[in-house]
């Protein structure tokens, strides 16, 4: 029965395509997040453009920190609040201390709220682009250089920037063993 | 079958006559919770009216168009006009619901002009609160009495425990008549922060930050719970918010403030 | 087509007997029966878990189980009821009915049919065996949200593998259904002349084919996140736990309609039969079903309004979700219009169908309330949601399955069930289902979260009522089993056309229906 066979073939293609689609949703989601600020994620590679113009308006940025899974880390922003001029680059840093008795590997995940303003918060330099290694008892300054895009809408409230620090020592150890 | 229409009537009158049985959403003490309550009641009454009409027609038919009463089946089985009408009317009703719902949503998402910021972090299984501007910070978990009583085979009568499962060791204190921005995140798995009378819930997601706002209009103690399954003790991480007048809040802050720098050397 | 029929006939002659008959069978009726019995068994296992849950929730304080085990029960109850009880029940009905309704001898792919059934017992044996692991069964909810599900014990790979098997079984079944419907209809039966049950199953099968692979993808990503160092869903590696929820519900919402569209088909068959009047608005029923299916792919995020979406996203998903009320409303209005000026009698299948319309509609109303995003912030993850989806799945989907069994039982067995007992079963089931689930609306609105093993004392009264109802509901289903066995012991007396108003090709066959439904295709004009 040729027609049954062709139905099966077509349907099997749909099945395979839909399985592929579930994986395609990963990059689609990332792109979608970038456009809409869906999860408040900021750029994860350094901003290198130079098309941002300085404007005579200011916006308040609040810095927040979290330590995931109660890892033995002290992790706090050096300054909790900055009023910044739109279009002008600024520097600030977070302070991290390893309270454990061994060396730790960490990585930070940034998040901005309201999420729709995440795309205007451009990081020129950020500790979150790389993993950190920190010795027992060591205190580190983790720097950020950022600029607020002049496309930022007017009449907005404060922007909150949050970093969550993850202890990924176990993952790093495991992959180095391989 | 009449039972069902009785149930509907009970539901309609529930707000007043069943007050102490707690059959309805509580009216809020914050603009967002109030708006949610109003929308809830609006949609509820609309569905009740639709239900009465549709089920009314259906029961009329069940009682009158039955074979035992000698009913002969009619032969009609389609009518484009009728079908278009009952596609368009629900659509119009939906638009009527969507307008106030959208307005409320826009109001709820607007966190601008908040005066203080409270950061809430979910842990398995407790909450941490950080008052971002005021440097107050503490953990809050199920109080000891509830915790003892809730153990399997504790033999403690939970009815005699004060606010069983809804009491904590450290309450959140917030000022009344103040717009408070609440930032939500988590340390381990997803939790959700919910105090029905002051705000709807929002998820606290590890690595990400969410927000909502409250503006409590009435001093009092408001209780809620974690509402996203977060492991074995998900049912045991309550939230208690004590809303106090502004001056009292300022006093509370000065008593509980800590020194940030001292903290670092711990 | 003739080669296929010869092939089946040939197999018929070498048919083994005893247990081997059931293991090797490629007959659509045998396989349909296997599916239905299996589903009944799973319904009782899942129901037993529900009763453990309700027993613990009978009063505040923990009396019977520890919280970790309670979470395993809620998780397993959902997985077993959805994948073990409801989906196989509908596939069983499809197996029995589709060939008879379209005038075919059997399903298009009999051997595939055998496989898709026999995967199930193995998958469920594996799933249920995790409960006996030292670290216990899955406890992160049937939705398997990470990071919580990544914390689980050793059960996780087994649960995921069994879900893969269940998905494969459903996909094979769906391919078979589509191949059968598209290729094996009797001459003259155009698509728009197909019985409505066939239509709803055709659309359901497409939903299965589009949705199940997405679930497979999502849980495979979970597995690699846990064991192979990927980080699709962990923020530490740049992933996002919310992404899992998006992918899961992209499958999950169509899944909801997979569970309800065949039920719509059953109700649309039974209401006209006992109203002795043609289904009102056949065309619009078909279009409504198709539009519900299409809409189901663009509403998924209404399950996750509280994850913090941008305003535009919340508004979009609110509007599309509300839109589903339109085609669903059309269906309810069409059913009422079918009854209008009919000549109704109220045998058991009709009673279950009428209860379906009312109680499913109540579930639809609470669904509409849940669609309103700002109000959903209050309802989300409370017992209000539990009440909502149990109203659409128990007096919705399950009532439809029960109605279908009563309706077609005389055709399948040639024997008539006891009408009085059937009515007793109906009234007990309907009363208890409401005693169980209606109070859940109240505790949910009053603030009781779902998936908690213990609760504050102000929720006690309604929880007690719900628990009493649940045990009553469970006991009433034992009566159903009794009725089934009692029917099977009867002599063959049922007429070929067992119901005065029944329409369709299946009623032109003798009762019980012959092993091969239509050896020569009937003519349809
Ligand atoms: Cu929690």
């Amino acid at each position: 029965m040729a027609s049954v066979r062709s139905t099966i073939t077509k349907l099997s293609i749909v099945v395979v395509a839909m399985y592929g689609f579930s994986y395609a949703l990963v990059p689609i989601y990332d792109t979608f997040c970038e456009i809409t600020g869906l999860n408040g994620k900021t750029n994860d590679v350094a901003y290198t453009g130079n098309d941002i113009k300085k404007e005579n308006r200011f916006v308040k940025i609040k810095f927040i920190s979290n330590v995931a899974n109660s890892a033995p880390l002290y992790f706090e922003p050096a300054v909790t609040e900055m009023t910044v001029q739109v279009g002008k680059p600024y520097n600030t840093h977070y302070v991290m201390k390893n309270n454990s008795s061994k060396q730790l590997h960490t990585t930070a995940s940034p998040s901005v709220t309201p999420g729709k303003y995440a795309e205007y918060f451009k990081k020129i330099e950020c500790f979150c682009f790389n993993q950190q290694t920190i010795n027992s008892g060591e205190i580190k300054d983790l720097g950020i250089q950022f600029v607020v895009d002049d496309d930022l809408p007017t009449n907005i409230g404060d922007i909150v920037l949050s970093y969550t620090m993850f202890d990924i020592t176990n993952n790093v150890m495991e992959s180095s063993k391989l | 079958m009449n039972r069902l229409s009785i149930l509907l009537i009970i539901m309609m009158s529930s707000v007043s006559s069943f007050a102490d049985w707690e059959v309805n959403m509580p009216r809020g003490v914050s603009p967002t919770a109030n708006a949610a309550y109003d929308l809830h009641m609006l949609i509820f009454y609309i569905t009740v009216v639709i239900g009465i009409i549709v089920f009314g027609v259906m029961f009329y038919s069940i009682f009158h168009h039955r074979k035992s009463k000698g009913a002969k089946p009619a032969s009609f089985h389609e009518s484009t006009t009728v079908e278009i009408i009952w596609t368009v009317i629900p659509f119009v009703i939906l638009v009527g619901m969507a307008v106030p719902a959208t307005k409320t949503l826009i109001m709820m998402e607007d966190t601008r002009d908040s005066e203080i910021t409270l950061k809430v972090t979910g842990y398995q299984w407790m909450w941490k609160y950080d008052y971002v501007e005021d440097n107050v910070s503490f953990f809050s978990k199920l109080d000891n009495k509830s915790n003892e009583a809730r153990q399997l085979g504790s033999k403690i009568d939970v009815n005699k425990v004060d606010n069983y499962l809804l009491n904590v060791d450290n309450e959140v204190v917030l000022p009344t008549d103040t717009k408070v921005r609440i930032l939500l995140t988590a340390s381990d798995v997803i939790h959700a922060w919910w105090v029905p009378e002051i705000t709807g819930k929002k998820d606290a997601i590890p690595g990400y930050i969410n927000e909502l706002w409250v503006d409590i209009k009435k001093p009092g103690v408001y209780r809620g719970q974690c509402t996203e399954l977060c492991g074995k003790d998900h049912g045991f991480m309550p939230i208690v918010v004590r809303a106090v007048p502004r001056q009292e809040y300022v006093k509370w802050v000065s008593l509980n403030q800590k020194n940030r720098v001292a903290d670092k050397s711990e | 087509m003739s080669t296929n029929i010869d092939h089946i006939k040939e197999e018929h002659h070498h048919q083994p007997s005893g247990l081997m008959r059931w293991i090797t069978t490629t007959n659509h009726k045998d396989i349909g029966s296997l599916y239905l019995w299996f589903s009944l068994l799973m319904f009782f296992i899942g129901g037993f878990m529900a009763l453990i849950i309700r027993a613990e929730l009978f009063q505040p304080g923990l009396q019977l189980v520890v919280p970790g085990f309670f979470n395993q029960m809620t998780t397993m109850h959902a997985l077993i009821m959805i994948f073990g009880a409801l989906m196989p029940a509908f596939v069983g009905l499809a197996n029995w009915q589709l060939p008879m309704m379209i005038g075919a001898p059997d399903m298009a792919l009999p051997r595939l049919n055998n496989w898709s059934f026999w995967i199930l017992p193995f998958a469920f044996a594996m799933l249920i065996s995790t409960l006996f692991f030292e670290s216990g069964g899955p406890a992160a909810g049937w939705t398997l949200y990470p990071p919580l599900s990544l914390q689980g014990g050793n059960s996780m790979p087994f649960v995921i593998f069994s879900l893969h098997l269940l998905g494969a079984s459903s996909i094979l079944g769906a391919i078979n259904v589509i191949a059968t419907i598209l290729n094996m209809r009797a001459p003259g039966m155009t698509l728009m002349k197909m019985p409505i049950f066939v239509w709803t199953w055709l659309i359901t099968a497409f939903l299965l084919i589009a949705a199940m692979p997405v679930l497979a993808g999502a849980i495979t990503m979970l597995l690699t996140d846990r064991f192979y160092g990927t980080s699709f869903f962990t923020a530490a590696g740049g992933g996002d736990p919310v992404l899992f929820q998006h992918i899961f519900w992209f499958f999950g919402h169509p899944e909801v309609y997979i569970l309800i569209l065949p039920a719509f088909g059953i109700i649309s068959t039974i209401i006209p039969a006992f109203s002795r009047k043609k289904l009102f608005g056949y065309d619009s029923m078909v279009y409504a079903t198709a539009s519900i299916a299409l809409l189901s792919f663009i509403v998924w995020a209404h399950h996750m309004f509280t994850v913090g979406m941008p305003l535009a996203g919340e508004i979009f998903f609110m509007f599309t979700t509300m839109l589903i009320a339109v085609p669903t409303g059309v269906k309810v209005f069409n059913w009422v219009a079918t009854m209008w000026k009919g000549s109704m009698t109220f045998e058991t299948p009709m009673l279950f169908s009428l209860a379906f319309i009312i109680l499913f509609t109540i579930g639809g109303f609470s669904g509409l309330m849940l669609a309103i995003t700002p109000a959903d912030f209050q309802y989300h993850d409370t017992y209000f949601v539990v009440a909502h989806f149990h109203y659409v799945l128990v007096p919705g989907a399950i009532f439809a399955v029960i109605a279908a069994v009563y309706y077609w039982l005389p055709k399948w067995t040639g024997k008539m069930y006891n009408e009085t007992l059937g009515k007793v079963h109906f009234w007990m089931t309907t009363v208890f289902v409401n005693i169980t689930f209606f109070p859940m609306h109240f505790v949910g609105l009053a603030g009781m979260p779902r998936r908690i093993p213990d609760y504050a004392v102000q929720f006690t009264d309604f929880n007690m009522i719900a628990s009493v109802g649940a045990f009553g509901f469970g006991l009433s289903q034992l009566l159903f089993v009794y009725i089934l066995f009692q029917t099977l012991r009867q002599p063959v007396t049922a007429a070929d056309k067992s119901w005065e108003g029944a329409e369709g090709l299946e009623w032109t066959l003798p009762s019980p229906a012959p092993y091969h439904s239509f050896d020569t295709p009937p003519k349809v004009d």
Side-chain angles (χ1 to χ4, degrees):
Chain A
M1 285 219 300
S3 55
V4 171
R5 205 160 297 142
S6 94
T7 311
I8 298 171
T9 316
K10 281 181 211 152
L11 294 175
S12 307
I13 293 170
V14 177
V15 170
V16 174
M18 287 310 292
Y19 185 76
F21 177 69
S22 70
Y23 278 85
L25 280 171
V26 179
I28 292 173
Y29 178 73
D30 281 346
T31 317
F32 197 73
C33 289
E34 246 166 65
I35 299 168
T36 62
L38 186 80
N39 58 4
K41 242 187 192 173
T42 52
N43 55 316
D44 49 10
V45 280
Y47 169 76
T48 52
N50 55 0
D51 52 339
I52 294 178
K53 283 189 288 293
K54 214 188 273 185
E55 271 181 22
N56 195 21
R57 59 191 175 107
F58 292 82
V59 58
K60 200 193 266 177
I61 297 185
K62 289 190 163 145
F63 297 90
I64 302 273
S65 68
N66 310 288
V67 176
N69 299 308
S70 310
L73 290 166
Y74 168 90
F75 177 61
E76 293 283 338
V79 211
T80 53
E81 206 173 286
M82 283 171 93
T83 302
V84 304
Q85 188 176 0
V86 172
K88 185 179 163 193
Y90 286 85
N91 284 301
T92 182
H93 68 275
Y94 276 64
V95 181
M96 175 159 75
K97 185 185 173 208
N98 181 349
N99 288 329
S100 81
S101 55
K102 51 176 190 157
Q103 191 190 54
L104 294 178
H105 299 271
T106 67
T107 183
S109 142
S111 181
V112 164
T113 189
K116 60 187 165 191
Y117 302 133
E119 59 168 316
Y120 306 106
F121 186 87
K122 304 276 192 206
K123 289 172 295 184
I124 302 162
E125 193 57 66
C126 177
F127 61 93
C128 59
F129 297 153
N130 306 303
Q131 292 179 5
Q132 286 80 38
T133 306
I134 183 163
N135 290 317
S136 169
E138 190 186 353
I139 297 175
K140 265 192 169 179
D141 284 354
L142 304 171
I144 315 163
Q145 190 180 23
F146 66 91
V147 57
V148 175
D149 197 330
D150 56 343
D151 292 336
L152 182 79
T154 50
N155 194 23
I156 67 164
D158 303 350
I159 296 178
V160 176
L161 172 65
S162 156
Y163 283 100
T164 305
M165 193 56 88
F166 290 85
D167 173 8
I168 52 162
T169 312
N170 290 338
N171 306 11
V172 173
M173 291 309 186
E174 250 167 57
S175 50
S176 66
K177 258 187 269 169
L178 291 177
Chain B
M1 285 264 183
N2 265 328
R3 199 172 37 82
L4 280 155
S5 36
I6 294 168
L7 273 177
L8 282 172
I9 293 161
I10 290 175
M11 276 181 82
M12 282 182 74
S13 57
S14 64
V15 191
S16 48
S17 59
F18 277 70
D20 45 349
W21 272 61
E22 296 208 57
V23 293
N24 198 10
M25 189 187 285
R27 200 182 282 277
V29 293
S30 162
T32 52
N34 266 328
Y37 175 86
D38 291 339
L39 267 177
H40 159 69
M41 291 315 292
L42 171 74
I43 312 294
F44 171 67
Y45 284 123
I46 292 175
T47 59
V48 167
V49 171
I50 298 172
I52 288 172
I53 295 170
V54 174
F55 297 152
V57 173
M58 187 173 154
F59 279 108
Y60 180 89
S61 183
I62 285 173
F63 287 114
H64 295 276
H65 306 144
R66 48 170 74 203
K67 199 182 175 191
S68 56
K69 289 200 172 168
K72 291 272 170 298
S75 64
F76 68 88
H77 60 85
E78 59 189 347
S79 159
T80 315
T81 327
V82 175
E83 286 169 70
I84 288 176
I85 289 173
W86 67 41
T87 309
V88 171
I89 291 180
F91 189 80
V92 172
I93 296 173
L94 289 178
V95 173
M97 294 179 186
V99 172
T102 307
K103 273 191 196 146
T104 306
L105 201 51
I106 292 171
M107 183 266 282
M108 283 180 170
E109 294 293 325
D110 183 2
T111 55
R112 284 176 302 175
D113 308 318
S114 312
E115 290 178 63
I116 64 173
T117 312
L118 173 68
K119 192 183 106 186
V120 179
T121 313
Y123 286 75
Q124 283 172 317
W125 290 271
M126 58 191 158
W127 298 98
K128 188 183 181 214
Y129 297 97
D130 294 279
Y131 291 72
V132 175
E133 294 87 359
D134 294 325
N135 283 333
V136 179
S137 175
F138 55 87
F139 284 94
S140 171
K141 61 178 196 316
L142 184 66
D143 74 322
N144 279 332
K145 277 199 179 127
S146 290
N147 198 37
E148 278 162 27
R150 68 129 176 143
Q151 303 299 331
L152 186 61
S154 72
K155 301 254 162 33
I156 299 173
D157 181 3
V158 299
N159 290 297
K160 296 208 176 99
V161 178
D162 250 4
N163 290 303
Y164 177 60
L165 294 189
L166 292 179
N167 216 7
V168 294
D169 52 359
N170 296 312
E171 295 169 343
V172 181
V173 176
L174 288 178
T176 50
D177 298 309
T178 308
K179 187 165 179 179
V180 181
R181 183 185 200 175
I182 298 179
L183 303 175
L184 298 147
T185 187
S187 170
D188 33 46
V189 300
I190 304 177
H191 304 262
W193 199 80
W194 183 38
V195 184
E197 282 157 284
I198 61 177
T199 174
K201 61 192 71 68
K202 200 149 237 185
D203 289 359
I205 303 167
Y208 292 89
I209 195 132
N210 259 328
E211 61 179 353
L212 32 89
W213 65 271
V214 301
D215 186 353
I216 306 169
K217 296 295 179 198
K218 204 174 119 199
V221 178
Y222 305 103
R223 294 171 198 277
Q225 278 178 272
C226 176
T227 30
E228 178 63 55
L229 178 61
C230 58
K232 73 176 170 63
D233 287 346
H234 162 57
F236 309 101
M237 44 185 296
I239 299 156
V240 180
V241 174
R242 177 182 296 278
V244 296
R246 195 64 186 255
Q247 306 95 306
E248 223 175 295
Y249 170 75
V250 173
K251 213 159 54 183
W252 178 83
V253 166
S254 64
L255 284 173
N256 291 278
Q257 217 158 19
K258 59 166 187 174
N259 188 336
R260 279 178 66 83
V261 191
D263 204 46
K264 186 171 157 184
S265 56
E266 265 172 24
Chain C
M1 191 175 294
S2 59
T3 52
N4 198 39
I5 293 167
D6 293 342
H7 165 74
I8 290 163
K9 271 186 182 156
E10 194 186 322
E11 280 198 348
H12 185 36
H13 295 304
H14 306 290
Q15 194 192 41
S17 56
L19 186 64
M20 278 315 278
R21 171 193 165 190
W22 294 103
I23 293 176
T24 59
T25 184
T26 55
N27 177 276
H28 75 98
K29 299 196 177 72
D30 286 352
I31 295 174
S33 304
L34 284 172
Y35 266 112
L36 288 170
W37 285 115
F38 179 78
S39 137
L40 189 65
L41 175 67
M42 286 295 133
F43 179 59
F44 277 97
I45 294 177
F48 179 72
M49 291 172 176
L51 292 185
I52 293 177
I53 294 169
R54 283 315 325 168
E56 179 54 64
L57 291 175
F58 180 70
Q59 52 180 18
L62 291 177
Q63 292 83 27
L64 302 171
V65 298
V66 292
F69 186 73
F70 183 90
N71 290 348
Q72 293 175 33
M73 285 296 103
T74 53
T75 305
M76 286 294 240
H77 163 70
L79 288 172
I80 287 177
M81 284 304 197
I82 294 168
F83 294 100
L86 272 174
M87 290 170 73
F90 286 123
V91 180
L93 292 171
N95 260 295
W96 259 102
Q97 288 308 125
L98 292 182
M100 293 202 282
M101 289 176 129
I102 62 172
D106 202 305
M107 297 292 277
L109 309 159
R111 216 157 268 156
L112 192 78
N113 208 1
N114 174 289
W115 293 344
S116 40
F117 172 76
W118 280 107
I119 289 174
L120 293 182
F122 294 100
F124 278 99
M126 189 181 336
L127 183 64
I128 294 171
S129 72
T130 61
L131 284 176
F132 302 100
F133 286 12
E134 207 176 324
S135 55
W142 82 280
T143 49
L144 303 170
Y145 282 4
L148 185 62
S149 60
L150 297 171
Q151 286 185 345
N154 299 329
S155 64
M156 189 213 184
F158 294 89
V159 172
I160 289 183
F161 188 55
S162 58
L163 283 176
H164 274 306
L165 289 177
L166 296 173
S169 159
S170 303
I171 290 169
L172 295 180
I175 290 179
N176 203 353
V177 164
I178 297 174
T180 306
I181 296 174
L182 293 187
N183 298 295
M184 308 213 14
R185 297 194 307 278
M189 183 180 278
T190 58
L191 284 177
M192 290 311 277
K193 277 186 188 158
M194 290 196 309
I196 198 82
F197 179 71
V198 179
W199 253 118
T200 53
W201 240 113
L202 180 64
I203 292 169
T204 304
F206 277 108
L207 284 180
L208 277 167
I209 282 180
M212 296 309 291
V214 177
L215 173 68
I219 59 180
T220 307
M221 288 182 226
L222 267 187
L223 199 67
T224 57
D225 265 14
R226 168 91 185 260
F227 294 103
Y228 301 100
T230 58
S231 35
F232 291 107
F233 308 131
T234 41
D240 186 346
V242 175
L243 170 63
F244 176 84
Q245 301 187 19
H246 281 288
I247 304 178
F248 181 88
W249 287 113
F250 187 87
F251 141 81
H253 201 79
E255 171 69 24
V256 173
Y257 293 119
I258 288 165
L259 299 174
I260 204 66
L261 292 186
F264 288 164
I266 291 164
I267 302 306
S268 305
T269 309
I270 292 176
I271 296 283
F274 294 94
S275 304
R276 290 164 183 76
K277 191 162 154 278
K278 248 176 115 173
L279 178 67
F280 185 89
Y282 171 92
D283 292 14
S284 61
M285 279 300 206
V286 172
Y287 299 139
T289 311
S291 37
I292 291 174
L294 288 176
L295 280 174
S296 78
F297 285 102
I298 54 164
V299 297
W300 75 89
H302 68 216
H303 294 269
M304 38 188 289
F305 278 137
T306 60
V307 298
M309 272 178 269
L311 186 62
E314 287 174 335
I315 292 174
F316 173 80
F317 286 110
M318 172 167 78
F319 287 179
T320 51
T321 305
M322 292 171 80
L323 219 49
I324 288 188
V326 175
T328 313
V330 167
K331 283 184 167 286
V332 174
F333 301 143
N334 281 351
W335 289 326
V336 174
T338 305
M339 290 184 249
W340 189 256
K341 295 211 171 202
S343 170
M344 272 186 268
T345 51
F346 302 91
E347 289 85 346
T348 311
M350 180 63 160
L351 289 175
F352 273 103
S353 303
L354 293 175
F356 172 99
I357 298 180
I358 294 164
L359 300 176
F360 174 82
T361 304
I362 290 179
F365 286 153
S366 54
L368 185 59
M369 294 167 79
L370 284 158
I372 310 297
T373 315
D376 179 75
F377 292 151
Q378 293 287 357
Y379 308 137
H380 181 81
D381 264 358
T382 67
Y383 260 85
F384 190 76
V385 177
V386 177
H388 158 72
F389 66 73
H390 280 95
Y391 259 83
V392 292
L393 289 179
V394 184
I398 290 178
F399 271 31
V401 173
I402 295 175
V405 169
Y406 279 117
Y407 181 65
W408 281 307
L409 202 56
K411 177 53 60 189
W412 299 340
T413 62
K415 300 161 186 180
M416 203 61 179
Y417 63 86
N418 181 319
E419 190 59 60
T420 314
L421 282 181
K423 282 187 173 140
V424 173
H425 175 223
F426 165 75
W427 283 109
M428 284 173 66
T429 304
T430 305
V431 169
F432 283 122
V433 93
N434 285 294
I435 294 177
T436 310
F437 297 114
F438 212 84
M440 293 186 185
H441 291 112
F442 301 144
V443 282
L445 291 175
M448 179 168 161
R450 64 190 282 211
R451 293 167 163 171
I452 56 173
D454 193 4
Y455 49 82
V457 293
Q458 69 262 35
F459 305 128
T460 311
D461 298 328
F462 287 124
N463 271 294
M464 279 188 172
I465 295 171
S467 290
V468 169
F471 277 87
F473 180 83
L475 287 176
S476 316
Q477 302 327 304
L478 294 178
L479 177 61
F480 181 49
V481 176
Y482 174 78
I483 294 171
L484 291 178
F485 280 103
Q486 196 213 33
T487 310
L488 291 176
R489 284 204 313 269
Q490 304 288 317
V492 172
T493 51
D496 291 354
K497 192 178 170 193
S498 319
W499 310 106
E500 191 192 351
E503 299 272 352
L505 289 176
E506 74 264 38
W507 304 108
T508 64
L509 288 167
S511 295
Y515 201 60
H516 298 299
S517 300
F518 286 93
D519 276 344
T520 41
K523 276 253 157 19
V524 178
D525 28 55

